Amino acid sequence: MSLEPVRDDTLDADGNVDPQAILDLLGDRVLDIEEHMNADIAVVVRPDTVEETLLALRDEAGFDHCSLVTAQEYEDRYESIYHLKQYDDPTNEVSVVVPATKDDPVSQSGNAAYRTCDWHEREAYDLVGIEYENHPDMRRILMPETWQGHPLSMDYDQDRPQVVTLGQHDNPLKDDIRDEENDTMFINIGPHHPATHGVLHVKTVLDGETVANVESDIGYLHRCEEQVCQNGTYRHQIMPYPDRWDYVSAGLLNEWAYARAAEDLADIEVPEYAQVIRTMGAELCRVAAHMLALGTFALDVYGDFTAIFQYAFRDREVVQNILEELTGQRMMFNYFRLGGVAWDLPEPREDFFELTRDFLDGLPGKLEEYHDLITSNEIFQLRCVDTGILEPEVAKSYGATGPVARASGVDYDLRRDDPYGYYDELDWDVVTEDGKDNYARVLTRMQEVEESAKIIKQCVDLLEEWPEEERTIQSNVPRTLKPENDTETYRAVEAAKGELGIYMRADGTDKPARFKIRSPCFSNLQTLPEMAQGEYIPDLIASLGSLDIVLGEVDR
Amino acid sequence: MSSDNTTDGGSTDALTKTREARMGAGLDDRFNSKLREAFGASPFILTKFDKFMNWVRGSSMFMLQFGIACCSIEMIHTYAIKHDLDRFHAGVPRASPRQADVIIVPGTIVSKFAPRMKRVYDQMPEPKFVVGMGSCTISGGPFQEGYNVVKGAEEVIPVDIHVPGCPPRPEALIYGVAKLQERIANGESSPVTVKPYELEQFGDMERDEVVDQLADQIDEDTLAMRYNWADSP
């Protein structure tokens, strides 16, 4: 929790945002008011007042979390939307809508207020084509530098040939170094490298063993997820794709992000029984995802392929077996439906409960084993304690969420703060650590596994007792969903890596007009230079491992 | 090999007798190994060197540690506990392409990554083999219609075995690797495929609208890959 006093001037007595106070605060900067289903108020401002508007909202109204920057093109204009939240209470939401003209799409950068805007605006420039003034580094981020056109803009021709280069990288600091002793070396880590957890490219400049400069180069797995979702119908064609964002078996958590946003948009109720199944499935996924994070981190920091890595995968196999029983798939579940889940628990139910209980019973012993092997290991502590420090204020400025933020003492968990599913009925705790280092991030994940086990156990108990006649797995949802024209919403859930949100705009058809994914890894990865610059190169690898990124989600 | 000469029930009396008749009884014990008995009367194996090399190649495969997307997670599961690909002579993954002879391509290949993958493939020593894992390496899979997605690994490098699935289960990948071993042991070479996307120097590219447009941005010596999206399958 923040130490700053509650800002009474923009919040009402219940701690909710008072729209009128926001309007008073922003004064005549507000051109118009729009309606966003998630936000308390959505204000339209001029492109040249973005910075002061965001600064006012951050400093005077306590909106310290820029969750997402959405860019989109309309028939008559471009638009950037800054989705602002508060770390203390993420249900307090304000959207800042910035239109830009069609022939000169230039808008002021929000970088001065939130550092996370750096990458988000680069992505907006890359995919949609809006340029941001005063941006420190206005380049493409996901597509190759030589790409022609902006893929999500309206006049983009997908059949046009493209040329992509494979160039040599120069040392970015080469010119800065003048004396003989202080020589720097440029080193490419990735995109094919065991420590990058996928196809990430880290451009690193070393001064001796110290990291002088580090820059992540992403986009090696940009699979056009947003375009694919915009081409799919709400009811069935989008749900298979979330599984492939964060693909380390965290599928149900991702599906929930889409389900939550779409159910909000189309006003669909979910039966309580289905919510319990969802909650249980999602937490099983979280356990599987954290196990992978743990195993690969051990592999990163002391090359332990034989013990911890294999143990972690043994436990993942067990979780995957349970999930396969439930959903029929090991990884790409496609189990959620709008308004519920695809089918009920497998028969015989007793066997399923037994399988899950066996896993839960064995888990404390296994976790103790992990603690013996990992957290109480001296080598591990030497590598991790006090390395890769991420200050809470920095984490907030970059929009970091999930275990990365919680290990820096930022008490932010959407399962509790913006409740969905069955979480608010269950007894569990949000894990926070104040170590701020690589060690704290590992510890947070391990404790979260324990909390997840607590949730799964309560869900299993509930499901076992659930009366047979009340087991409704899906509510009545129309075959074709056509949310009203121009309804917009941004909804997020707590995925394995943090806040996974979906922005959707409906245009009256059965497909979304804009589908934007807020990926937690994208924001978390941005903090890497803050952790690694000035540290030793092994600490860079440890920091990267402790961020636990998945490139499918970073690049989408 | 004449291993089918062994008699039923584990008795090798007949073989021993034949050998003694040929070589004389009471010879040194070390000749009486199980292996010798399995080989039958003759202490030699006759085979073609080519065939022997093929058998060796198939039985000792060095995989490249190469992860791209979702499939790489199932690939790790295939290497890891429970499925343990090592049991099938397809050993521990190698981090350097220069030490590897099999590359499993586990995931979607996008425009930015294809030149890099081509480079990694080129760095592997001959003979080299490719297993395409998952639907994305066959056709682009679920992302086939994406503006940035290469429609299958075969657009860039030749592929020996395709393992379908999204992602394939570890069992399926093991089956694919076993099939590859079978092919290698039988001396079948990889199919000749047309690879539309080649890595070439920018200066050598055929001049057209796109190339002309980029001419002032890209150096002549820089390696580049040109994508003809309109002609993609």
Side-chain angles (χ1 to χ4, degrees):
Chain A
M1 291 284 163
S2 168
L3 295 174
E4 291 164 45
V6 179
R7 296 169 198 281
D8 295 319
D9 39 350
T10 54
L11 301 182
D12 63 17
D14 305 324
N16 296 322
V17 175
D18 178 7
Q20 191 54 48
I22 297 286
L23 286 179
D24 293 345
L25 173 72
L26 297 178
D28 52 6
R29 282 184 288 242
V30 180
L31 296 177
D32 197 4
I33 297 170
E34 280 192 15
E35 189 145 334
H36 286 193
M37 290 175 83
N38 63 303
D40 298 291
I41 184 169
V43 292
V44 182
V45 302
R46 282 219 320 271
D48 55 353
T49 55
V50 176
E51 195 177 306
E52 46 186 286
T53 308
L54 294 183
L55 279 172
L57 284 169
R58 185 191 75 178
D59 296 334
E60 316 284 327
F63 287 93
D64 50 358
H65 179 28
C66 179
S67 190
L68 170 71
V69 180
T70 306
Q72 54 186 332
E73 189 183 3
Y74 285 87
E75 289 294 342
D76 59 336
R77 64 181 191 280
Y78 285 91
E79 192 177 273
S80 322
I81 308 173
Y82 296 79
H83 301 271
L84 307 182
K85 289 187 176 186
Q86 293 177 346
Y87 270 105
D88 285 344
D89 182 359
T91 55
N92 290 345
E93 294 177 70
V94 167
S95 302
V96 178
V97 182
V98 190
T101 56
K102 200 82 174 180
D103 29 291
D104 186 25
V106 178
S107 176
Q108 206 174 36
S109 169
N111 214 33
Y114 308 99
R115 276 190 272 176
T116 187
C117 290
D118 184 348
W119 278 22
H120 280 107
E121 286 171 355
R122 274 178 72 187
E123 190 191 320
Y125 163 70
D126 190 357
L127 299 185
V128 182
I130 304 175
E131 283 190 47
Y132 292 89
E133 264 179 351
N134 305 338
H135 190 282
D137 188 17
M138 197 81 264
R139 281 182 298 136
R140 286 187 180 272
I141 185 165
L142 295 174
M143 309 301 290
E145 287 279 305
T146 51
W147 203 261
Q148 301 292 305
H150 302 280
L152 291 182
S153 64
M154 280 176 154
D155 56 355
Y156 181 71
D157 175 15
Q158 202 176 319
D159 287 340
R160 182 178 183 179
Q162 301 279 358
V163 173
V164 175
T165 55
L166 174 67
Q168 200 94 38
H169 292 284
D170 283 334
N171 180 349
L173 293 192
K174 194 173 54 186
D175 300 334
D176 294 341
I177 304 301
R178 284 161 214 285
D179 57 318
E180 289 282 302
E181 288 168 15
N182 215 2
D183 195 15
T184 59
M185 182 172 88
F186 178 76
I187 181 169
N188 281 312
I189 306 177
H192 161 232
H193 189 276
T196 55
H197 295 206
V199 283
L200 171 70
H201 175 201
V202 187
K203 300 176 186 171
T204 320
V205 180
L206 300 180
D207 182 359
E209 258 197 278
T210 315
V211 177
N213 189 26
V214 55
E215 188 198 333
S216 324
D217 175 21
I218 61 174
Y220 293 96
L221 194 55
H222 176 54
R223 308 192 272 195
C224 333
E225 303 266 14
E226 288 171 7
Q227 180 208 26
V228 167
C229 289
Q230 274 162 221
N231 293 340
T233 54
Y234 292 104
R235 187 74 172 91
H236 289 300
Q237 290 180 349
I238 294 176
M239 197 56 97
Y241 286 96
D243 291 321
R244 290 161 181 83
W245 302 340
D246 177 359
Y247 46 69
V248 292
S249 297
L252 294 181
L253 295 155
N254 306 352
E255 285 174 25
W256 208 336
Y258 169 63
R260 192 175 188 204
E263 280 154 10
D264 195 38
L265 198 68
D267 197 19
I268 299 167
E269 285 291 319
V270 182
E272 212 172 326
Y273 180 67
Q275 293 283 29
V276 181
I277 299 182
R278 280 183 174 191
T279 311
M280 179 187 67
E283 290 309 311
L284 282 166
C285 284
R286 196 183 308 275
V287 173
H290 281 356
M291 284 294 174
L292 184 105
L294 195 65
T296 51
F297 188 65
L299 184 64
D300 284 345
V301 298
Y302 47 42
D304 189 351
F305 187 70
T306 41
I308 302 163
F309 187 79
Q310 302 288 348
Y311 287 180
F313 271 78
R314 169 199 66 190
D315 293 341
R316 269 175 60 85
E317 284 285 350
V318 179
V319 182
Q320 282 187 317
N321 279 346
I322 300 172
L323 284 166
E324 194 183 347
E325 286 287 311
L326 180 67
T327 68
Q329 283 282 329
R330 276 169 62 87
M331 279 173 70
M332 304 303 170
F333 309 109
N334 191 15
Y335 177 61
F336 282 17
R337 295 287 178 272
L338 299 186
V341 292
W343 44 72
D344 202 350
L345 302 182
E347 294 288 346
R349 293 164 70 91
E350 301 74 44
D351 289 4
F352 178 77
F353 293 134
E354 200 191 321
L355 191 69
T356 317
R357 287 228 168 85
D358 279 351
F359 166 68
L360 295 175
D361 291 343
L363 198 60
K366 285 172 180 167
L367 283 169
E368 204 170 304
E369 198 173 30
Y370 285 122
H371 278 294
D372 284 347
L373 279 166
I374 304 177
T375 49
S376 56
N377 182 321
E378 204 175 324
I379 306 171
F380 184 87
Q381 290 176 358
L382 282 170
R383 289 287 311 267
C384 298
V385 175
D386 274 340
T387 61
I389 302 283
L390 182 67
E391 294 296 334
E393 287 315 311
V394 178
K396 284 181 180 181
S397 173
Y398 278 106
T401 48
V404 175
R406 287 195 285 272
S408 290
V410 179
D411 192 8
Y412 181 76
D413 190 323
L414 292 175
R415 290 175 289 173
R416 178 202 58 197
D417 299 338
D418 182 11
Y420 57 97
Y422 214 69
Y423 288 111
D424 49 352
E425 309 279 327
L426 303 173
D427 174 33
W428 59 283
D429 296 309
V430 175
V431 179
T432 53
E433 285 284 330
D434 46 14
K436 301 183 281 193
D437 52 5
N438 295 333
Y439 190 73
R441 286 188 277 277
V442 174
L443 219 52
T444 308
R445 290 203 181 90
M446 289 182 73
Q447 288 168 12
E448 274 183 20
V449 169
E450 283 173 45
E451 294 300 322
S452 293
K454 258 160 84 179
I455 298 175
I456 300 166
K457 188 169 186 325
Q458 294 171 55
C459 289
V460 169
D461 292 343
L462 278 167
L463 291 170
E464 206 166 28
E465 301 290 308
W466 213 275
E468 199 164 344
E469 59 278 7
E470 286 171 33
R471 291 179 194 161
T472 324
I473 53 159
Q474 265 184 46
S475 58
N476 201 359
V477 182
R479 190 172 287 256
T480 311
L481 287 176
K482 287 184 180 171
E484 246 172 85
N485 188 15
D486 233 20
T487 41
E488 298 170 54
T489 192
Y490 168 73
R491 277 273 168 234
V493 299
E494 186 72 25
K497 319 296 197 248
E499 177 183 341
L500 176 65
I502 309 289
Y503 165 85
M504 270 195 288
R505 175 168 65 87
D507 59 357
T509 64
D510 56 352
K511 294 171 182 174
R514 181 76 173 106
F515 191 97
K516 172 82 190 153
I517 307 155
R518 190 266 184 212
S519 135
C521 295
F522 185 77
S523 299
N524 289 354
L525 179 60
Q526 259 188 294
T527 61
L528 182 65
E530 297 285 341
M531 295 177 183
Q533 262 165 25
E535 304 269 334
Y536 290 121
I537 181 140
D539 297 341
L540 163 72
I541 300 299
S543 300
L544 187 57
S546 76
L547 279 177
D548 185 26
I549 49 157
V550 170
L551 269 298
E553 201 177 58
V554 174
D555 294 346
R556 287 152 287 143
Chain B
M1 274 178 243
S2 50
S3 55
D4 47 347
N5 291 4
T6 37
T7 48
D8 290 340
S11 162
T12 51
D13 286 353
L15 292 172
T16 314
K17 272 184 198 145
T18 320
R19 189 180 61 231
E20 282 173 354
R22 282 194 180 181
M23 303 171 70
L27 270 177
D28 198 323
D29 258 2
R30 66 204 151 106
F31 288 111
N32 295 335
S33 66
K34 289 270 183 212
L35 189 67
R36 166 69 61 79
E37 287 175 5
F39 282 157
S42 160
F44 304 106
I45 315 165
L46 286 177
T47 179
K48 285 187 217 152
F49 190 66
D50 277 5
K51 206 173 169 189
F52 174 69
M53 284 309 290
N54 282 336
W55 174 74
V56 168
R57 267 179 205 132
S59 308
S60 160
M61 300 209 294
F62 283 62
M63 321 297 268
L64 177 65
Q65 182 175 351
F66 187 67
I68 304 180
C70 336
C71 283
S72 55
I73 303 296
E74 283 296 64
M75 187 184 72
I76 299 170
H77 273 275
T78 317
Y79 287 131
I81 215 157
K82 184 172 173 186
H83 298 100
D84 195 6
L85 193 58
D86 219 355
R87 292 177 298 163
F88 304 97
H89 329 293
V92 179
R94 300 275 143 177
S96 162
R98 292 178 180 85
Q99 298 173 337
D101 47 30
V102 179
I103 174 174
I104 299 179
V105 185
T108 321
I109 304 147
V110 302
S111 66
K112 203 171 173 181
F113 193 64
R116 275 84 184 168
M117 188 178 76
K118 172 77 174 148
R119 167 58 65 88
V120 168
Y121 175 77
D122 288 345
Q123 285 172 342
M124 288 167 56
E126 294 277 357
K128 49 194 167 188
F129 308 97
V130 181
V131 178
M133 184 183 182
S135 305
C136 291
T137 61
I138 297 173
S139 66
F143 305 100
Q144 213 255 351
E145 285 165 19
Y147 49 81
N148 194 27
V149 176
V150 175
K151 320 296 185 236
E154 233 157 9
E155 306 265 294
V156 187
I157 58 176
V159 178
D160 293 81
I161 295 282
H162 286 291
V163 184
C166 191
R169 296 175 64 91
E171 293 89 331
L173 181 61
I174 293 174
Y175 182 71
V177 170
K179 276 284 165 198
L180 178 64
Q181 290 172 331
E182 207 179 295
R183 291 185 56 137
I184 297 171
N186 291 338
E188 294 169 35
S189 55
S190 64
V192 178
T193 49
V194 183
K195 293 171 283 163
Y197 300 153
E198 277 292 351
L199 205 52
E200 55 187 330
Q201 286 196 329
F202 185 70
D204 295 344
M205 274 187 185
E206 223 174 289
R207 306 291 287 188
D208 64 1
E209 198 197 340
V210 192
V211 175
D212 282 341
Q213 221 161 19
L214 289 164
D216 53 335
Q217 281 182 46
I218 306 176
D219 209 45
E220 294 245 312
D221 312 333
T222 309
L223 290 172
M225 199 176 262
R226 185 180 186 281
Y227 298 101
N228 286 316
W229 297 119
D231 301 338
S232 285

